[in-house]
Amino acid sequence: MLRHLTQNDSVRSEDCVRYAAGHRVHWIHAKKCRQEPGQAVEILLTSGDVRDDGWVELRPAFDYAGDLPAVWTHAPGALRETLADHRGRVYWLARWHALKLVYGDGEGAGPGGGRGVGLVNVALQGGDLCEGGSARCGTS
């Protein structure tokens, strides 16, 4: 299951210990996303956009954003669950291959307080899914 943490951490699967592309966000990755985000493109993303195989088609919120890549996540069911409860904005941080989920005004505590930021590490290439306690996810 994905859980939301403060902007110093990430949205991640409890079953996964990997920091590879498409898996957990390392604290250094989270720090870079916060300090040097690069261009943040607002996207339209709902739980229905996440396929069972982990692939997600990114759709820009505005026409002038141009074409965006398809990205992959290791825990599609958990990401769908997180997006189903999400009521804020979502951004594509191309520089860091991350999705930034903003809750409320993006400051302060997590969704319990209605505010905060979560990150999802995504990949441009597919890999092994980690949902369901797969042993493959426990390896580096």
Side-chain angles (χ1 to χ4, degrees):
M1 163 181 268
L2 291 178
R3 65 185 175 100
H4 178 270
L5 302 171
T6 67
Q7 55 187 316
N8 295 323
D9 209 343
S10 65
V11 175
R12 66 182 185 214
S13 172
E14 293 298 329
D15 297 331
C16 181
V17 297
R18 294 187 70 192
Y19 290 108
H23 296 265
R24 291 177 66 173
V25 177
H26 191 274
W27 70 270
I28 294 172
H29 189 182
K31 180 180 176 182
K32 291 294 188 180
C33 287
R34 189 176 67 254
Q35 292 179 342
E36 306 168 22
Q39 182 183 11
V41 176
E42 188 169 358
I43 60 174
L44 302 173
L45 188 62
T46 67
S47 57
D49 295 319
V50 182
R51 296 185 349 204
D52 289 340
D53 62 1
W55 284 99
V56 181
E57 290 288 332
L58 301 182
R59 298 175 293 137
F62 304 100
D63 290 339
Y64 60 82
D67 293 331
L68 299 177
V71 296
W72 179 85
T73 180
H74 68 125
L79 180 56
R80 278 193 293 266
E81 182 180 319
T82 297
L83 290 171
D85 294 334
H86 183 71
R87 299 293 178 262
R89 294 181 174 195
V90 181
Y91 296 91
W92 163 237
L93 304 178
R95 179 177 185 182
W96 302 110
H97 296 179
L99 302 177
K100 178 179 174 182
L101 284 66
V102 178
Y103 298 85
D105 62 8
E107 299 295 329
R115 301 166 17 178
V117 175
L119 295 171
V120 178
N121 181 13
V122 294
L124 298 178
Q125 296 180 355
D128 293 329
L129 297 179
C130 295
E131 287 185 314
S134 169
R136 291 176 290 185
C137 198
T139 61
S140 60

